[in-house]
Amino acid sequence: MWDVKKLYSFSIDDELERLPDTVPELAGIEKHIPSLKTLIHPKIHWVDMKIKHKGQNYISMEDIGGNSFTIDSSYVAKGLASCENTTLMAVTIGEEITVNSNINYGKGQFWEGIIADRFGSYAVEVLIERFHKYLKRNFLSKGLCSTLRFSPGYGDWHLQDQRRILDILDTKSHITVNSFSILEPTKSITALIGWSRTHQASNYPVGTKATGLCDGKTNCQDCNTWACRSGSKG
């Protein structure tokens, strides 16, 4: 079995209260936040691993029990080139806020549906960012610095790896994946973080049409990593 850690009582209430101050499209919803917060139920699964092997187009990791996980991706391999440890994670805020949004849409209460959906989208980002900061503090005490987060579907890391990640992290009670490799509940995120003895730049690996880190065939409209072979981003 993988050495998976689970956390189901991770509070992000303070950050959620501040969202209207930092997100323009949520301005004016302050009176709705108390009820929206009751629909947020954070769940976090993660496993820490050591990097065993690195290549130009892959990276192989292993947990404390000797279980191995290999990612075939030049994008991820380059992003974690100076790292010696990694953390693989999956987080979710649950399905209640999406259910609430759909109910409001069904009643013709479109503004309420939109607000619930957008609040949920920002809430799951707040959750993973807050947990990332929590991990940073812990690893800094070991002299390790964090990379940015890498997720399937960006660069040349195939979205189909979502299923492998969820199997490793034993999330079936809280997060699943459909036949299109989309996470359910939709307000969920999987990610990989690298840990290095040296300070890490706060930018993603850069690619070009000739030497890029992506096949240029998928996820173009949603990719903001500039790891592109298609030539559409430089």
Side-chain angles (χ1 to χ4, degrees):
M1 288 183 61
W2 285 84
D3 184 34
V4 177
K5 303 176 183 69
K6 302 176 183 181
L7 191 57
Y8 300 156
S9 58
F10 196 76
S11 176
I12 55 172
D13 281 358
D14 290 345
E15 289 87 345
L16 295 180
E17 291 281 356
R18 292 194 293 269
L19 275 177
D21 299 326
T22 58
V23 180
E25 64 182 305
L26 295 180
I29 71 159
E30 287 81 0
K31 68 178 182 180
H32 298 278
I33 287 181
S35 60
L36 289 172
K37 285 198 309 182
T38 66
L39 306 174
I40 305 296
H41 304 289
K43 303 281 190 305
I44 304 169
H45 291 223
W46 79 101
V47 62
D48 296 319
M49 297 178 285
K50 285 188 174 294
I51 295 176
K52 303 300 290 185
H53 303 286
K54 300 176 190 175
Q56 184 176 352
N57 302 311
Y58 77 95
I59 187 163
S60 182
M61 299 151 284
E62 193 175 272
D63 79 341
I64 194 170
N67 302 291
S68 61
F69 177 50
T70 299
I71 298 173
D72 295 316
S73 166
S74 55
Y75 171 61
V76 176
K78 185 173 183 180
L80 274 58
S82 65
C83 298
E84 55 188 71
N85 298 83
T86 63
T87 299
L88 183 68
M89 68 181 70
V91 309
T92 187
I93 58 169
E95 65 179 359
E96 281 194 33
I97 199 157
T98 299
V99 170
N100 176 271
S101 176
N102 291 337
I103 288 173
N104 280 313
Y105 280 128
K107 292 179 178 179
Q109 298 171 338
F110 299 114
W111 186 86
E112 290 82 354
I114 290 170
I115 288 301
D117 181 66
R118 290 181 179 174
F119 188 81
S121 295
Y122 282 106
V124 71
E125 292 289 345
V126 165
L127 174 60
I128 197 166
E129 180 64 23
R130 177 75 178 80
F131 184 62
H132 191 177
K133 289 179 180 178
Y134 165 82
L135 291 177
K136 282 182 181 179
R137 289 195 297 269
N138 289 346
F139 277 89
L140 189 58
S141 66
K142 304 173 186 177
L144 294 170
C145 302
S146 171
T147 65
L148 296 173
R149 295 189 301 271
F150 295 83
S151 290
Y154 290 89
D156 64 345
W157 188 3
H158 292 295
L159 192 62
Q160 288 86 341
D161 268 357
Q162 299 273 40
R163 191 173 302 279
R164 294 173 62 208
I165 292 171
L166 298 190
D167 286 344
I168 287 169
L169 296 177
D170 187 28
T171 67
K172 57 184 174 293
S173 297
H174 307 292
I175 311 172
T176 58
V177 62
N178 65 24
S179 58
F180 299 101
S181 299
I182 303 301
L183 299 178
E184 297 178 343
T186 55
K187 308 307 185 188
S188 306
I189 299 173
T190 57
L192 180 72
I193 297 167
W195 304 101
S196 173
R197 294 286 173 186
T198 59
H199 176 72
Q200 297 295 290
S202 15
N203 55 274
Y204 287 100
V206 175
T208 67
K209 184 175 181 180
T211 62
L213 307 172
C214 175
D215 60 15
K217 297 177 181 177
T218 56
N219 306 306
C220 293
Q221 66 181 13
D222 299 316
C223 180
N224 61 0
T225 62
W226 291 80
C228 185
R229 282 183 183 159
S230 71
S232 61
K233 296 184 180 180

